[in-house]
Amino acid sequence: MEKDFKLMVAPLQGLTETAWRSVHFRLFGEKQGDVEYFTPFIRAENGEVRARDLRDFTSELNHGMMLTPQIIFRDVDEWKLLVDTLAEAGAKRIDMNMGCPFPPQVRKGRGAGLLRSPDKLSKIADAMSQYIDIQFSVKMRLGVDDAGEALHLIDILNAMPLRHVAMHPRTAKQQYKGNLLLSDMKDFSSRLQHPVIFNGEITTLSDIESLSSDYTGVMVGRGLLARPSLFAEYRSGQELAIKKQEVAFLNMMRNVSTALEKILCGNTQFRDKMKPYWEYAPASLDKKIIKQGRKLGKIID
Ligand SMILES: Cc1cc2nc3c(=O)[nH]c(=O)nc-3n(C[C@H](O)[C@H](O)[C@H](O)COP(=O)(O)O)c2cc1C
């Protein structure tokens, strides 16, 4: 195990907001101390930062965890609005989304759409010098349709003062499926002067181990929903038996459902919010338990 290897929890809209994050931190992150969490993207709407998004960053339930807010923006004006608001709310680090593949966002030039706007990115790179108290990072993809697109941005990215770039080595067109484009990823990383964090399809300890010599860290999303103990296992060097991994998943679900029941109104809202977590249940888990989870949102013991 590499001692300084960074472990990051990927932002997942609708899933890794305050309720899931704070439970995960309490059960699996706190003792590790060095796990970094990211909010799902925070956006501007009608010239203002969405209050709900902002609360996800400022909630007192985040207390103690290393939490970095992520922003999605289409140009330097939207970027400034978001950065100023978050700086005022106490952010010392801000992550910039340049990878969201959702077509309405891409069409408007946000997320992966920015990969095709070097002029807008250059303006943002210039504006960064006015925010010396904030450390920026980028989360991105290799391109929109073509894995070579990110290469055209290398000089602009190298000119930005970035903590790291987290790369999901797919194009936006691939969404969240299909082959990881590993040779394009290597090519990109070798030209980038910033530390590179690998993100995509990491589900086991050996996945993490195999990346630890080539990258500065890993960022894990769906793999942690299914196996919330993954980082704790990696840090302790002890792989949990499958049954214990299942217990860890169920323990997460119990605590997340308790947290959400307190804040959501009514059964339908609760079930709709919980259902997606059950889609990521470990494949080994008893099918009856998964069925009950999907139907009720929680397990009735
Ligand atoms: C439901 C869902 C929501 C996501 N929301 C965000 C988001 O808000 N910001 C972001 O940068 N990436 C988002 N992603 C992408 C993930 O952070 C991550 O890059 C992707 O899932 C690949 O990593 P994984 O294989 O470890 O899950 C989302 C992905 C999914 C499936």
Side-chain angles (χ1 to χ4, degrees):
M1 188 185 72
E2 300 278 325
K3 207 172 138 278
D4 296 325
F5 196 61
K6 305 250 181 290
L7 300 178
M8 303 182 178
V9 180
L12 298 168
Q13 198 76 232
L15 293 154
T16 63
E17 281 86 2
T18 308
W20 185 92
R21 257 186 348 247
S22 57
V23 171
H24 187 266
F25 177 64
R26 196 154 36 83
L27 296 181
F28 302 106
E30 197 163 19
K31 286 186 218 95
Q32 271 61 50
D34 55 358
V35 172
E36 181 171 356
Y37 294 82
F38 291 79
T39 69
F41 59 70
I42 295 173
R43 64 186 121 161
E45 216 170 55
N46 306 323
E48 276 179 42
V49 177
R50 292 204 327 166
R52 181 154 55 109
D53 292 352
L54 201 57
R55 275 199 302 277
D56 185 43
F57 172 62
T58 56
S59 165
E60 61 187 26
L61 291 173
N62 297 318
H63 188 73
M65 76 176 73
M66 184 174 185
L67 176 65
T68 302
Q70 186 194 64
I71 57 172
I72 195 164
F73 49 91
R74 104 184 129 201
D75 53 27
V76 71
D77 294 334
E78 221 169 72
W79 181 89
K80 274 190 181 155
L81 171 71
L82 286 152
V83 171
D84 286 338
T85 310
L86 283 164
E88 205 165 300
K92 295 278 178 253
R93 295 175 303 275
I94 294 180
D95 188 59
M96 310 194 311
N97 185 315
M98 288 167 47
C100 177
F102 190 46
Q105 295 284 4
V106 176
R107 269 198 301 275
K108 287 182 188 137
R110 299 192 182 93
L114 275 170
L115 301 175
R116 289 184 166 165
S117 304
D119 296 351
K120 288 182 181 170
L121 287 177
S122 292
K123 283 195 187 139
I124 290 167
D126 290 344
M128 280 178 172
S129 58
Q130 293 156 27
Y131 295 89
I132 48 169
D133 293 338
I134 294 183
Q135 292 185 296
F136 293 97
S137 56
V138 164
K139 181 166 180 289
M140 65 187 289
R141 291 184 178 238
L142 288 166
V144 179
D145 292 323
D146 184 299
E149 287 174 79
L151 286 180
H152 301 302
L153 303 176
I154 287 280
D155 290 343
I156 300 174
L157 291 168
N158 281 339
M160 289 180 172
L162 298 178
R163 290 169 69 208
H164 68 250
V165 170
M167 176 62 91
H168 178 51
R170 284 189 170 112
T171 59
K173 197 167 136 194
Q174 288 178 286
Q175 300 270 336
Y176 299 106
K177 290 196 285 242
N179 289 341
L180 294 176
L181 307 170
L182 298 179
S183 69
D184 297 284
M185 169 85 180
K186 277 226 152 65
D187 197 11
F188 175 85
S189 308
S190 66
R191 300 187 202 197
L192 194 76
Q193 286 157 12
H194 304 297
V196 181
I197 307 294
F198 189 101
N199 165 241
E201 305 298 336
I202 295 169
T203 56
T204 64
L205 256 58
S206 59
D207 288 342
I208 302 180
E209 272 149 17
S210 67
L211 292 162
S212 63
S213 49
D214 288 344
Y215 297 99
T216 301
V218 287
M219 181 183 268
V220 182
R222 293 164 296 176
L224 272 170
L225 294 181
R227 187 170 169 179
S229 53
L230 185 65
F231 284 168
E233 292 177 60
Y234 175 75
R235 281 288 186 239
S236 71
Q238 284 198 321
E239 185 147 25
L240 287 182
I242 298 282
K243 280 285 158 217
K244 290 203 169 155
Q245 291 176 32
E246 291 173 4
V247 170
F249 172 82
L250 291 173
N251 202 9
M252 268 304 286
M253 290 300 91
R254 260 190 212 99
N255 282 276
V256 172
S257 58
T258 305
L260 286 173
E261 265 176 330
K262 280 190 204 142
I263 54 173
L264 296 176
C265 320
N267 273 343
T268 313
Q269 215 191 359
F270 169 74
R271 277 197 310 265
D272 289 351
K273 183 79 192 164
M274 283 303 296
K275 198 168 174 230
Y277 294 107
W278 290 97
E279 305 300 329
Y280 294 98
S284 60
L285 196 63
D286 185 339
K287 299 288 168 285
K288 277 194 219 129
I289 299 184
I290 300 181
K291 205 169 154 196
Q292 189 183 67
R294 282 193 186 139
K295 194 166 159 210
L296 304 178
K298 61 181 178 180
I299 296 299
I300 311 287
D301 290 310

